[in-house]
Amino acid sequence: MAARRGNLLTLALLAPSLLSAILLLVIPILIVIAFSFAEQDTYGGAKFGFTLASYQELFQAIYLPIFLNSLQLAAVSTLVCLLVGYPIAYFIALRAGRYAGLLLALLLIPFWIDFIVRMSAWMVLLGRNGTMNSALVGLGFIEQPVRMIGTYPAVLVGMLYAFLPTTVLPIHAALNGLDKRLLEAADDLGATPLQSFWRVTFPLSLPGVMAAILFVFVPAMGVYAIPVLLGGGKSIILGNLIVQLFLDFRNMPLGAAVSVVLLAISSVIIVGYMRVLRSVEEARA
């Protein structure tokens, strides 16, 4: 009787979260999947049924570069975020001391502002008559303002700015739990700082690094606002494609099919991440 009462209490406590997940996650995903198998009607809507026409259309050569562009942008953005975010996480976790909490707060405070507002601010900073060009001209590095908005580096800057916290936080969590006695032991055994880092610190921080890769790569594949605002929408990726298919071309089934494919790719990456993480944990054990 007590066990049954405990199960009912647990179910009651979980009910709001489960209901929210069903209403806001499961049902919308099922609706998108249903749209992906529908037929396009005369007015651009969806005529429910079961057809693979939308998925077959995705195999056309025109869509392959879009998938490759999305994967390339996600991979490069992830690499840039790791190269910048790992040293920041390392410094905060192992060198900042009592200022660690303050530095983490300073890292997160800008992200309390609306995302579009922050991206619009970058458009002002990187504009032809913006702050960056004015500073470079004033310092004598360039004679005339250069075009920054609408370039690939501008997109990478936006991606770095958007995903830096999701890179730093998991790596910081892994490094913050590092047993510093291991570093002292490596130093006592004659290891140089670089050897100590590669043989002790970095391997023990791998779970955080892998989590950061997951938290950056997966959402970066479907990001929409950054390539449009900072890249000028010149390079079409999956996020742009989905919006265009739904709103511009009025092809809801094909847009839903692209969304389902993106969801499938993300799921495969997550499953692969969990398997690799399990292998790392088993190797460490």
Side-chain angles (χ1 to χ4, degrees):
M1 186 68 180
R4 183 177 180 182
R5 184 178 302 174
N7 291 335
L8 291 175
L9 179 61
T10 302
L11 182 61
L13 293 174
L14 292 175
S17 299
L18 292 174
L19 183 61
S20 300
I22 292 173
L23 292 177
L24 302 177
L25 183 63
V26 177
I27 292 178
I29 289 177
L30 292 177
I31 292 174
V32 171
I33 293 174
F35 271 117
S36 70
F37 292 107
E39 296 180 359
Q40 183 183 14
D41 64 17
T42 307
Y43 301 100
K47 187 163 53 178
F48 287 101
F50 184 83
T51 177
L52 297 176
S54 297
Y55 290 98
Q56 292 173 349
E57 189 172 349
L58 290 180
F59 284 99
Q60 295 182 9
I62 189 176
Y63 293 108
L64 179 60
I66 299 176
F67 281 92
L68 295 178
N69 287 340
S70 300
L71 292 173
Q72 181 193 45
L73 177 61
V76 175
S77 301
T78 303
L79 179 61
V80 172
C81 286
L82 286 176
L83 291 176
V84 176
Y86 195 101
I88 296 175
Y90 181 90
F91 177 80
I92 295 176
L94 302 178
R95 295 289 184 268
R98 61 178 181 173
Y99 298 105
L102 175 62
L103 293 176
L104 284 175
L106 292 176
L107 179 69
L108 295 175
I109 284 175
F111 294 85
W112 296 351
I113 304 173
D114 183 76
F115 178 78
I116 299 299
V117 174
R118 289 185 279 118
M119 288 300 107
S120 299
W122 273 107
M123 294 179 66
V124 174
L125 289 173
L126 300 177
R128 183 171 289 275
N129 297 316
T131 307
M132 292 294 294
N133 267 313
S134 299
L136 292 174
V137 171
L139 293 172
F141 290 108
I142 56 177
E143 296 181 357
Q144 297 292 333
V146 297
R147 183 171 65 90
M148 297 183 183
I149 297 294
T151 62
Y152 193 73
V155 175
L156 291 181
V157 168
M159 299 291 278
L160 173 63
Y161 178 74
F163 294 111
L164 186 60
T166 56
T167 306
V168 171
L169 291 178
I171 298 176
H172 171 269
L175 291 172
N176 198 44
L178 181 66
D179 188 351
K180 296 180 176 57
R181 292 176 299 180
L182 297 174
L183 301 178
E184 295 174 359
D187 184 60
D188 292 339
L189 292 173
T192 64
L194 184 60
Q195 290 174 329
S196 177
F197 173 78
W198 281 114
R199 296 186 180 184
V200 179
T201 305
F202 186 74
L204 293 176
S205 67
L206 273 179
V209 173
M210 293 168 57
I213 292 173
L214 178 68
F215 294 157
V216 176
F217 188 88
V218 171
M221 283 195 304
V223 70
Y224 167 71
I226 296 175
V228 170
L229 295 177
L230 299 182
K234 295 180 179 179
S235 180
I236 299 179
I237 60 173
L238 291 177
N240 307 51
L241 178 63
I242 292 171
V243 173
Q244 289 180 359
L245 289 173
F246 270 99
L247 301 181
D248 297 336
F249 300 127
R250 300 288 296 169
N251 193 337
M252 296 176 64
L254 185 56
V258 176
S259 302
V260 172
V261 171
L262 180 59
L263 178 63
I265 294 174
S266 302
S267 300
V268 170
I269 293 173
I270 292 172
V271 172
Y273 160 78
M274 295 180 67
R275 289 187 176 181
V276 172
L277 181 61
R278 186 180 305 169
S279 300
V280 170
E281 292 294 336
E282 291 175 354
R284 289 175 58 181

